[in-house]
Each structure stands twice: as C-alpha cells, then as structure tokens.
C-alpha cells in the first residue's frame, strides 16, 4: 500500500498541476505580455522555489478533518488509499473536460468521505448510532470549506469587478498614452500587493526572513505597506522613464511568479500530504510491534516535517508537468476564453439561468443608467472606448485575449484577497479566487457584451457548478471506495488501482486523439479579402471543403439508413451540426467583413452574403435529412423496403458524382467550367422527380408503412432542395466569374 501510495502521489502531482496551472498562467497567457516560453520559465522558477521553501507540514492530518486518534493503523491506511484513488480520478476527469476546480476542496472532502465511511463501519460494528459520528469527524471544518467556496465566489468576483472598473476609468484602454506617473502609481499599488502576498502567503512557512523581521512586519503592517508603496512607485517611475520598460509587464511577470510559488508552497500538501502521512503512520506502526488492527494513530496529530529531497522531487515533477501537459493548456484555455475581450467562438451553450441573469442584469443596468447624470455617463463611456482595428484571421490567434491593465489587476486583486484571507485564517480557495477575479474584471471591462454575455455567464455557471460537484462527488466516491477496500481488502485495492490507471490511460489517449484531430480538422475560413476576385478565390476553398463534407454526410446518412445503423447516423448528425455551426460562424462574421471593405468594393458584400445564404440552405437540407433518418432508425421503425433503398442509393450515386465534380472545380478555381457543369446536371431534378413518382405508384399499390413513405418522400424532397441550393450557388459564382 505504501508503494502504491507513492505512485499515486506522483500521479496526483501530475493531474493536480494540470488543473491548478490556471491559477498562475491565466493572466500572463491571456495578455501575451511576454512570450509563452518566458511565461513558462517564470512559472517554473516560482514552482521550484515554492516547493523547496515549503514546510511540508502534514496539514491534511492536522486540520482536523477527522480525529486520527479514533482510528487504528489499518483503518487509517484504508482512508488514505481511498482518498488518493479518488483524487487522481476526480482531478483527471476535470482536466479532461478542461474545467478548473479546487484541489484543496477535493482533498478535504475525500478525507471527509472516506473517514465517514470507515467511522460508520466502526460505529455499527460496536452497536452505536449516527450520533456518535461527531467523535470521529470534525463537521465544523467541512462547513468552513463550503462557506469558503461561497465567500471565494462572491468576494473575488465583486472586488475584481470594482477594482477593474476604477482602474479602467482612471487609465482607459489607451494606457500607453497616459503620463508615466499614472503607470508608476498603479505599479506601486500592484507590486506592493504582490510583495505582501509573497511574504504572507507564498513564504509564510519558509525561513527566508528572520524571526524578528517577520514579527516586525506583523506588528507594523500599515507602515510596511505604505513604505513599500512609496518605494515601488519610485522604482516604477524610474524603470518606465529611464529604461522604457512597461511597468504592466513587470507586474505580470512578478505576479505570475508569486502565484506559482504560492501554489507550489502551499498546495503541494494536497498532492503528497496524504501519502506522506501514510508513510509516517507506517513508520510509527512498524516500530511499535503491535498488530495493525490494534495500533492507534495518536502520533498523527503532531506536525511532521517533510524531507527536502521529497520536496525537490515533487517540484521537478510539477515543473515537467507544467511544460508538457496538454490538459493544463485546455484548463487555462477555458478561463482565458471566458474572459477574453473580443467575441469569437463560444464553448458553452446558453441555459435558462444564464438567460435570466443577463436579462435582469440588463434591466438593472438600464435603471442605474437613468440615475447617473448624462455628462458623467458619457465620460465613463469614453474611457471604455476601444478603437476598431481589423486584423486578418491569419494573425488573430496572435492577439491577446485582454490587455496588460486587466492582467495586472487580475494578479494584484488575487494577491490581495489571498493574502488577507490567509492572515485572517479564512478558508478561501486559490483556484476560486483567481478564476472569479478574472470573471469579475471581464464583466467590469465590458468584455461580456450583448453578443457574448449569455454564453460567458453560462460558462461561469458551469464552472461554479463543477466546484460544488467536486465537493459532493469527492465525498461520495471516497466513501464508496473506502467501504469497498474495507470489504475486499488487498484484492479490492489491486482491482481499484488497475481500474484507476486504466481510466486515466483511456482519458489520456482519448484526449491526445482529440487534440490531434482538432489540429488536423478542416474548418471553413472567414473571408479577408476586400475585392470581388479575392473573395471568390477565398470562398472557393470553403465551397470545395463544404461540398466534400456534405457529400460524405449525405452518403453516410443513406448508408446508415439502408443498414439501419444508428451509430453511423449519429455520426452524420454530428458532422452536419459541425458544418452548420461553421457556416453560421461565417454569417456572424459578416459585420467585420463589411467593415473591412474599401468604399469601391462594397458590392462585394452582396456576393459574399448570397454565397453564405446558399451554403446555409444546403446545410439546412442536409440537417433535416440526417435528423429525419436518425429519428426513424432510433425509434426502431420498419426498415425501408428494398426498392426504396435501391432508389436512394442511385440518388446518392449521381449526387456523389455531381458534388465530386464541384469539389474538384472549386478546389482548382476553374470557374470557366461552371457553365458546362450547370448544363450537364440540369437533369438531376428530373431524376429525383422520377424517384418521387415511382414511390407514389408504390404507395397506391403495395406500400404498407406510413412512416416509411413519409420518410422517403421527405428525403427526396429535401434532396431536391439541396440540389436547388447547390445550383443557385453555382449560378451566382458563374454570373460573377463571367463579369
């Protein structure tokens, strides 16, 4: 079990860092203040420094989640094993989803769940009742953690929004044009907050400062903060005036280092604390000479210092994970996407609650606007004005998600809140604080506009819901696993470990496969040209790709219907949904496309809009064909008759040929061949009409299934609509090509 716990500790470090990386990478990556490589180096140094300077105290054993003296060695080991198995599975699950959660909350509720399960076993074996559970469990601590979740969410979001609003009014989006003293004062505030954070939170257990210095700071906090503010304000002014270095970039680098160091220094115990507590328990028991069932764990109530080599090894694992974990990047991406300044592809779908929140927030904003004088309102709006600059899509990925001011505020506010909470011994979660500060600053910065608010709010609600799910699932899963180990003993441990690593391996393989597919998958590209010829050439690649995918989806649907294969139909349904979303994305970009046009090329917009309209007609017809076929098979209706399948296969054959010719023509941009292609395929409408007439005759003579008949007619009629939209697309291209 000790060996297994050591392996689980390494695994937990990997999955834990993958999730908590969002805490310190979000602002630096989102603002692109410095290169990604530099960000990773700064974060790595912070992690290494934090891990080495960590005290390594057995916090999880001393916090009083359960009372160790009430358990014997064999029971403690079951609790610890259940906790670690649950933790790696739970954190890996969240990492795979790309959702940030709290490693502190997960470990606490896993300890609570496993301890409750074993406590109840002991109580019932001795003939006791539920009322005796308080002897084993400290319910007050769990209550504090739950209140900490709520406190983290509300306080961090509110303070982040308020500070960002004030900062933006004073600095605006044109912060580069402000006098140097403005940036110097802001730098003084921000760096003072981060330095205080490093001393209070990051190095609270390290022997960097002498005891007298630490005591003096604790007794003269106000003087210490004011002195720091003055010093750092002067340094900030000198740096910007003499060396022409942006003070905001310095704040971001320092803040990233501070949060990375604090994460490693204080959250390290979440990953290796339980295995180290198990090792200490084993050492105590092995020298006692008693049976595992008789040796009580009173020694666990005292503090145990972790060997430095273990801290160093842990730091190395964390740094390596940070550099190579694709799941860490996925978790960071979720946070950055929800807080980005500009609109774009939204990951989360709106729900009832997000719609209601946005609806009533708009009403509240309108009512508040009626109270604020118009002159003040105009001045405030002026500070939030952002000049529109069109950037080609090829360079869009290089743009920051938000500016340096917001990134600096994120780090400053998170540092202050975590420092204050630590000094007041409040159970705030680092993950919750950093995430909710980022969401609050996004709201205050008007990043959640009418176009994106309902999606962003839905995303935040999903993440917050996941946090509460963490607590509940951690408690229940750890309790169940602890009980299984209690019943099955060694065999149960082996099976659970194999199952855990199989699940993690499966998730790893599927995640890597998804990442590779995402990199390789083809997507329709937004037009960037401002001339009719340029748009025709750019759109031709889109049409070639769309036709190829439409051809595949149509064939896949007919095959799935012929074979009554619901999986194949489900796949075609997903394929057309994705294509439909991409076409809608192109339509959503029309505003920016028209904005980019020269005055002499405005007529180009008519062509582009018409092309997108016909593409959407095609995808809608395919969507109906796919959904109707899936519904028929999924509801276990009768299979189509042989003659119906034969006719559909023939229809698929000539459509496949037609679409294949279109794909080649548009892929090679051979627009002069359009006229011949249109002429050669005019008879396709007649062919579909003949199939419809044949079914009419069959229905009058020997057809016995109303469902089959309705489906067959629907498929052919929608196929006809699909051909009409395709022909219209070819004709509009042919018309402009001849001009």
């Amino acid at each position: 079990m000790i060996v297994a716990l050591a392996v689980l500790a390494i695994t937990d470090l990997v999955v834990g860092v993958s999730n908590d990386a969002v805490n310190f990478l979000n602002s630096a990556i989102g603002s692109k203040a410095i290169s990604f490589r530099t960000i990773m180096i700064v974060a790595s140094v912070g992690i290494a420094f934090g891990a080495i300077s960590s005290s390594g105290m057995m916090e999880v054993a001393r916090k009083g989640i359960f009372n160790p003296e009430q358990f014997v060695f064999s029971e403690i080991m079951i609790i610890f094993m259940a906790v670690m198995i649950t933790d790696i599975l739970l954190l890996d699950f969240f990492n795979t989803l790309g959702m940030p959660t709290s490693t502190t909350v997960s470990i606490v509720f896993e300890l609570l769940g496993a301890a409750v399960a074993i406590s109840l076993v002991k109580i019932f074996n001795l003939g006791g009742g539920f009322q005796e559970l308080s002897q084993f469990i400290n319910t007050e601590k769990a209550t504090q953690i739950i209140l900490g979740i709520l406190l983290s969410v509300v306080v961090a979001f509110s303070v982040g929004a308020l500070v960002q609003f004030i900062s933006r009014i004073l600095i605006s989006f044109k912060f580069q044009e402000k006098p140097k003293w403005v940036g110097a004062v802001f730098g003084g505030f921000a760096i003072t907050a981060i330095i205080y954070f490093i001393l209070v939170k990051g190095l609270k257990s390290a022997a960097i400062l002498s005891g007298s210095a630490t005591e003096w700071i604790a007794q003269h906090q106000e003087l210490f903060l004011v002195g720091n503010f003055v010093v750092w304000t002067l340094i900030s002014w000198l740096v910007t005036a003499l060396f022409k270095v942006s003070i905001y970039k310095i704040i971001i680098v320092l803040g990233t280092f501070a949060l990375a160091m604090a994460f490693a220094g204080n959250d390290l115990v979440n990953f290796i604390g339980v295995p180290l507590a198990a090792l200490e328990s084993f050492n105590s028991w092995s020298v006692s000479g008693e049976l595992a069932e008789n040796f009580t764990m009173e020694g666990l109530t005292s503090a145990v210092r972790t060997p430095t080599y273990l801290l160093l090894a842990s730091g190395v694992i964390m740094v390596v994970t940070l550099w190579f974990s694709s799941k860490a990047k996925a978790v960071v991406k979720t946070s950055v996407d929800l807080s980005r300044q500009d609109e774009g592809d939204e990951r989360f779908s709106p729900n009832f609650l997000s719609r209601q929140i946005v609806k009533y927030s708009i009403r509240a904003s309108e009512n508040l606007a009626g109270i604020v004088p118009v002159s003040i309102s105009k001045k405030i709006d002026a500070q939030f004005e952002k000049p529109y600059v069109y950037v080609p899509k090829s360079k869009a990925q290089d743009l920051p998600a938000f500016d340096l001011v917001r990134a600096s505020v994120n780090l400053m506010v998170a540092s202050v809140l975590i420092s204050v909470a630590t000094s007041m011994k409040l159970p705030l979660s680092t993950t919750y604080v950093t995430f909710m500060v980022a969401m609050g600053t996004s709201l205050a910065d008007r990043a959640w506009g009418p176009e994106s608010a309902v999606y962003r709010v839905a995303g935040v609600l999903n993440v917050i819901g996941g946090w509460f799910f963490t607590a509940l699932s951690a408690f229940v899963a750890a309790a169940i696993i602890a009980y299984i180990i209690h019943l099955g003993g060694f065999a149960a441990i082996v099976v659970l470990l194999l199952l855990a690593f199989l699940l993690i391996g499966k998730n790893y393989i599927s995640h890597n496969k998804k990442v590779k597919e995402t990199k390789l998958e083809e997507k329709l590209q937004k037009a960037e040209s401002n001339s009719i010829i340029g748009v025709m050439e750019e759109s031709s690649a889109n049409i070639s790709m769309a036709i190829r995918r439409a051809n595949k989806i149509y064939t896949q649907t007919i095959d799935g219907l012929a074979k009554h294969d619901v999986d194949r139909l489900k796949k075609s349904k997903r394929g057309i949904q994705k294509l439909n979303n991409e076409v809608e994305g192109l339509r959503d970009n029309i505003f920016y496309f028209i904005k980019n046009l020269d005055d002499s090329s405005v007529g180009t917009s008519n062509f582009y809009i018409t092309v997108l309209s016909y593409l959407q007609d095609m995808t809608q017809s395919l969507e109906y064909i796919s959904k109707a076929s899936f519904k028929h098979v999924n509801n276990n209706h009768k299979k189509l008759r042989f003659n119906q399948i034969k006719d559909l296969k023939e229809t698929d054959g000539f459509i496949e040929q037609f679409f294949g010719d279109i794909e080649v023509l548009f892929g090679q941009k051979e627009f002069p061949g359009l006229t011949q292609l249109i002429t050669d395929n005019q008879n396709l409408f007649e062919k579909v009409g003949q199939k419809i007439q044949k079914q009419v005759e069959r229905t009058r003579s020997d057809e016995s299934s109303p469902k089959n008949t309705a489906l067959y007619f629907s498929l052919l009629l929608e196929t006809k609509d699909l051909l009409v939209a395709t022909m219209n697309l070819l004709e509009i291209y042919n018309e402009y090509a001849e001009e």
Side-chain angles (χ1 to χ4, degrees):
M1 289 178 76
I2 290 295
V3 173
L5 283 167
V7 175
L8 289 173
I10 295 171
T11 309
D12 207 30
L13 277 168
V14 173
V15 296
V17 173
S18 297
N19 197 278
D20 276 2
V22 69
N23 296 347
F24 48 87
L25 293 180
N26 173 41
S27 296
I29 290 177
S31 65
K32 298 200 172 181
I34 49 179
S35 68
F36 182 75
R37 182 183 178 85
T38 306
I39 292 169
M40 297 298 282
I41 291 172
V42 169
S44 300
V45 173
I47 287 177
F49 192 80
I52 295 170
S53 62
S54 172
S55 69
M57 295 296 185
M58 295 297 101
E59 293 292 329
V60 287
R62 297 196 298 117
K63 280 180 178 175
I65 300 302
F66 60 90
N67 301 319
E69 67 274 9
Q70 298 291 333
F71 298 90
V72 296
F73 173 66
S74 58
E75 294 165 342
I76 283 287
M77 292 301 288
I78 290 174
I79 291 173
F80 288 159
M81 182 63 75
V83 166
M84 291 304 294
I85 292 174
T86 306
D87 202 51
I88 61 170
L89 289 175
L90 187 64
L91 292 181
D92 187 66
F93 170 73
F94 274 94
N95 293 344
T96 303
L97 293 179
M99 301 278 275
T101 191
S102 171
T103 53
T104 303
V105 169
S106 64
I107 204 77
V108 166
F109 276 89
E110 285 152 6
L111 281 165
L112 189 62
V116 164
I118 299 303
S119 299
L120 290 176
V121 168
K122 288 192 69 168
I123 291 169
F124 292 146
N125 285 343
L126 296 173
F130 279 103
Q131 67 276 7
E132 297 179 25
L133 191 61
S134 58
Q135 298 175 17
F136 298 84
I137 306 298
N138 187 349
T139 54
E140 183 182 351
K141 191 65 184 180
T143 305
Q144 279 185 341
I145 294 294
I146 294 172
L147 291 176
I149 296 174
L150 298 173
L151 197 62
S152 299
V153 170
V154 177
V155 173
F157 186 83
S158 304
V159 175
L162 179 62
V163 174
Q164 179 62 34
F165 183 74
I166 295 171
S167 299
R168 190 61 75 189
I169 288 177
L170 296 175
I171 300 174
S172 81
F173 279 95
K174 302 173 183 176
F175 56 91
Q176 299 96 332
E177 301 173 8
K178 292 289 180 181
K180 291 183 174 56
W181 67 264
V182 175
V185 172
F186 184 85
F189 274 114
I191 296 175
T192 298
I194 293 168
I195 292 296
Y196 183 69
F197 168 79
I198 290 174
L199 294 176
V200 172
K201 176 72 173 176
L203 299 177
K204 66 176 183 177
S205 57
I208 302 296
L209 298 176
S210 64
S212 57
T214 305
E215 186 178 346
W216 185 90
I217 292 172
Q219 293 176 357
H220 304 86
Q221 284 192 15
E222 294 81 2
L223 181 60
F224 175 77
L225 292 173
V226 171
N228 262 272
F229 170 70
V230 173
V231 170
W232 289 115
T233 300
L234 290 172
I235 293 175
S236 299
W237 186 85
L238 289 171
V239 166
T240 53
L242 299 180
F243 301 103
K244 309 299 181 185
V245 177
S246 172
I247 191 61
Y248 302 102
K249 291 186 178 182
I250 294 174
I251 293 168
I252 292 167
V253 170
L254 188 59
T256 301
F257 171 82
L259 285 175
M261 183 185 63
F263 154 72
N266 296 281
D267 288 357
L268 184 61
V269 72
N270 295 340
F271 314 129
I272 66 170
V274 168
L276 289 176
L279 178 61
E280 181 62 27
S281 303
F282 174 78
N283 290 336
S284 299
W285 166 74
S286 60
V287 297
S288 67
E290 296 186 37
L291 292 174
E293 294 80 4
N294 299 331
F295 182 68
T296 57
M297 301 307 304
E298 294 178 0
L300 264 188
T301 55
S302 58
V304 179
R305 183 169 292 276
T306 308
T308 304
Y309 72 90
L310 286 178
L311 295 175
L312 181 61
S314 301
V316 170
I317 293 170
M318 294 165 89
V319 169
V320 171
T321 301
L322 185 66
W323 278 87
F324 295 104
S325 173
S326 60
K327 291 186 178 182
K329 296 179 179 68
V331 178
V332 172
K333 186 177 185 301
T334 298
S335 180
V336 171
D337 283 351
L338 286 174
S339 58
R340 72 178 184 271
Q341 191 68 36
D342 300 317
E343 279 106 25
D345 297 333
E346 301 291 347
R347 173 183 170 183
F348 297 94
S349 301
N351 53 49
F352 173 78
L353 191 54
S354 72
R355 292 189 184 99
Q356 295 305 307
I357 290 174
V358 172
K359 176 182 175 182
Y360 288 108
S361 296
I362 291 172
R363 288 185 185 178
S365 178
E366 290 172 350
N367 293 334
L368 185 62
I371 299 173
V372 179
V374 177
S375 59
I376 295 177
S377 182
K378 285 183 177 179
K379 288 180 180 178
I380 292 174
D381 290 341
Q383 295 298 89
F384 283 87
E385 285 182 1
K386 301 180 291 293
Y388 173 76
V389 179
Y390 182 84
V391 178
K393 183 170 176 62
S394 56
K395 297 182 180 178
Q397 61 184 3
D398 298 326
L399 290 177
F402 40 81
D403 68 2
L404 302 179
V405 173
R406 174 128 67 95
S408 301
V409 171
N410 284 346
L411 293 165
M412 175 177 65
V413 174
S415 298
V416 169
L417 290 178
I418 297 169
S419 302
V420 171
T422 301
S423 61
M424 296 175 65
K425 298 184 179 179
L426 294 174
L428 285 181
S429 164
T430 306
T431 301
Y432 298 165
V433 168
T434 52
F435 180 83
M436 291 311 297
V437 165
M439 296 305 103
T441 57
S442 305
L443 176 66
D445 231 8
R446 302 186 180 181
W448 298 0
E451 308 292 334
S452 60
V454 70
Y455 304 99
R456 306 285 177 88
V457 172
V460 174
L461 292 175
N462 279 337
V463 173
I464 293 174
W467 295 345
F468 287 96
F469 173 77
T470 299
L472 180 62
S473 57
F475 180 90
V476 174
I480 292 172
I481 290 175
Y483 188 65
I484 290 173
I485 295 174
H486 167 75
L487 294 177
F490 179 75
I493 292 173
V494 172
V495 171
L496 286 170
L497 285 173
L498 287 174
L499 182 62
F501 284 108
L502 282 173
L503 286 173
I504 290 175
K506 180 177 177 294
N507 286 343
Y508 176 78
I509 292 169
S510 63
H511 178 75
N512 279 359
K513 184 181 177 183
K514 186 177 178 181
V515 170
K516 289 177 183 176
E517 287 175 353
T518 302
K519 289 179 180 178
L520 295 174
E521 73 180 8
E522 297 176 309
K523 291 184 69 174
L524 303 183
Q525 301 297 314
K526 298 170 185 175
E528 297 173 359
S529 181
N530 54 13
S531 68
I532 185 69
I533 296 174
V535 171
M536 286 182 69
E537 291 188 350
E538 286 179 352
S539 297
S540 65
N542 274 346
I543 292 171
S544 179
M545 186 191 304
I547 288 291
R548 180 172 67 254
R549 290 163 64 180
N551 200 356
K552 180 182 177 183
I553 291 166
Y554 190 89
T555 300
Q556 199 172 48
T557 302
I558 300 302
D559 286 348
L561 193 59
K563 297 175 181 176
H564 230 58
D565 187 344
V566 72
D567 291 331
R568 186 170 297 194
L569 290 170
K570 193 180 294 182
K571 192 174 180 180
S572 70
K573 214 172 99 171
R574 286 197 301 266
I576 188 56
Q577 184 62 52
K578 185 175 182 301
L579 182 59
N580 198 23
N581 289 342
E582 289 176 29
V583 173
E584 284 186 11
L586 296 183
R587 288 175 66 89
D588 291 342
N589 190 60
I590 285 176
F591 169 82
Y592 303 101
F593 170 74
I594 295 174
K595 279 275 191 181
N596 186 49
L597 292 175
D598 296 333
D599 292 339
S600 59
S601 306
V602 174
T604 306
S605 61
N606 295 327
F607 168 77
Y608 187 59
I609 292 169
T610 306
V611 167
L612 291 184
S613 175
Y614 291 142
L615 272 177
Q616 190 167 49
D617 290 344
M618 292 172 62
T619 58
Q620 286 174 348
S621 293
L622 279 170
E623 186 175 30
Y624 181 87
I625 291 169
S626 177
K627 284 184 176 179
S629 301
F630 174 78
K631 180 181 176 183
H632 184 87
V633 175
N634 199 40
N635 287 341
N636 297 302
H637 294 314
K638 286 177 65 177
K639 293 183 179 180
L640 294 182
R641 300 180 65 175
F642 175 78
N643 286 335
Q644 291 173 323
I645 293 173
K646 180 173 173 289
D647 286 348
L648 287 175
K649 283 282 191 180
E650 288 176 0
T651 304
D652 175 45
F654 61 70
I655 284 180
E656 186 173 12
Q657 179 63 46
F658 178 43
F659 278 15
D661 292 341
I662 297 173
E663 179 192 338
V664 171
L665 190 146
F666 277 88
Q668 297 175 354
K669 299 181 175 63
E670 295 179 355
F671 302 135
L674 280 170
T675 304
Q676 188 64 42
L677 182 65
I678 293 169
T679 304
D680 292 346
N681 290 280
Q682 286 293 336
N683 64 336
L684 294 184
F685 298 107
E686 186 181 341
K687 287 184 178 180
V688 176
Q690 290 172 356
K691 305 293 183 189
I692 294 173
Q693 185 58 38
K694 284 174 67 176
Q695 179 61 27
V696 170
E697 293 170 2
R698 283 196 295 261
T699 303
R700 292 181 62 83
S701 58
D702 61 350
E703 184 62 70
S704 61
S705 172
K707 293 287 185 185
N708 280 12
T709 302
L711 174 67
Y712 186 80
F713 280 130
S714 297
L715 294 181
L716 289 181
L717 289 171
E718 283 298 330
T719 299
K720 206 168 186 179
D721 289 345
L722 174 64
L723 289 172
V724 168
T726 307
M727 283 294 188
N728 287 338
L729 180 65
L730 297 180
E731 286 170 1
I732 189 74
Y733 246 90
N734 191 38
E735 178 186 335
Y736 277 85
E738 289 176 350
E739 293 178 3

